[in-house]
Amino acid sequence: MSYKVEVSQTATFLVNITCESCGNEYQSKAAIVAERTLLDEFSQHGLKPKLDRKIAKFRNNDFSELPSLPCPKCSYFQSWNYAGKQKEVAESISVIAALVIALPVFINMVKENFFAALILFGLSAGVLMMILKPILTMILKSVYNPNGKREKADKTIFPAILN
């Protein structure tokens, strides 16, 4: 009998990006990761089908796996990757908000039992982050523009996958 443990599988792609604002060409790497979840433990399928689905989305102009880096020349965020930047901002805000909201729990309990207060603080903050992130992501999609007041580029130029 043999056992196979897969925690994650990664595929890395190199892409050529042309800035929609200034025309500068630069390259970026996309690390597409498929990770095992609790539900995968009950499945007979490995991580390969999950990774294949993510790669197919990537090849069909879903570039959410690319890091949301601005153009190195003019600092413009490409329109096809607004969602990536909005997701990053939502994650940052949800972490800070969850820590601030959970802090009174820690302060109230720290005098009685430091370790219990620390554990409860960590659990509270973790649950709050899980709740806040999707809500903030949804809100930011409608109100946050990563390029600020800069004029939107005339057209979308999708990156070219080099490998």
Side-chain angles (χ1 to χ4, degrees):
M1 183 183 291
S2 67
Y3 294 96
K4 186 176 180 183
V5 177
E6 297 172 324
V7 177
S8 69
Q9 278 190 335
T10 305
T12 305
F13 290 90
L14 187 62
V15 295
N16 195 39
I17 301 169
T18 302
C19 179
E20 298 167 345
S21 180
C22 72
N24 180 44
E25 288 191 16
Y26 58 103
Q27 292 182 343
S28 182
K29 282 186 180 177
I32 300 174
V33 180
E35 297 175 320
R36 180 176 291 276
T37 65
L38 183 61
L39 296 175
D40 294 330
E41 296 294 326
F42 304 109
S43 170
Q44 295 297 319
H45 305 291
L47 290 174
K48 183 152 178 33
K50 208 179 222 188
L51 185 63
D52 289 342
R53 282 191 301 274
K54 284 188 163 194
I55 291 172
K57 283 175 57 178
F58 183 75
R59 292 195 181 278
N60 289 318
N61 295 339
D62 178 352
F63 297 105
S64 58
E65 301 291 333
L66 271 172
S68 58
L69 298 173
C71 171
K73 185 175 178 184
C74 71
S75 301
Y76 185 83
F77 284 95
Q78 309 310 308
S79 63
W80 47 263
N81 205 2
Y82 280 4
K85 183 62 179 172
Q86 291 164 335
K87 182 180 168 188
E88 277 181 24
V89 172
E91 286 173 355
S92 299
I93 293 172
S94 67
V95 167
I96 292 167
L99 292 174
V100 168
I101 294 168
L103 189 60
V105 172
F106 178 74
I107 292 170
N108 283 337
M109 289 188 60
V110 74
K111 295 171 192 163
E112 296 171 27
N113 187 337
F114 176 76
F115 292 111
L118 194 60
I119 291 169
L120 191 57
F121 173 73
L123 288 172
S124 312
V127 169
L128 285 167
M129 281 185 264
M130 289 183 348
I131 293 169
L132 290 173
K133 184 183 164 194
I135 294 168
L136 288 170
T137 302
M138 186 176 63
I139 292 169
L140 286 175
K141 281 184 181 181
S142 61
V143 298
Y144 175 67
N145 178 0
N147 290 317
K149 295 181 180 180
R150 291 178 68 176
E151 193 172 309
K152 189 176 177 184
D154 294 335
K155 62 180 178 175
T156 299
I157 305 172
F158 290 107
I161 302 170
L162 300 176
N163 59 340

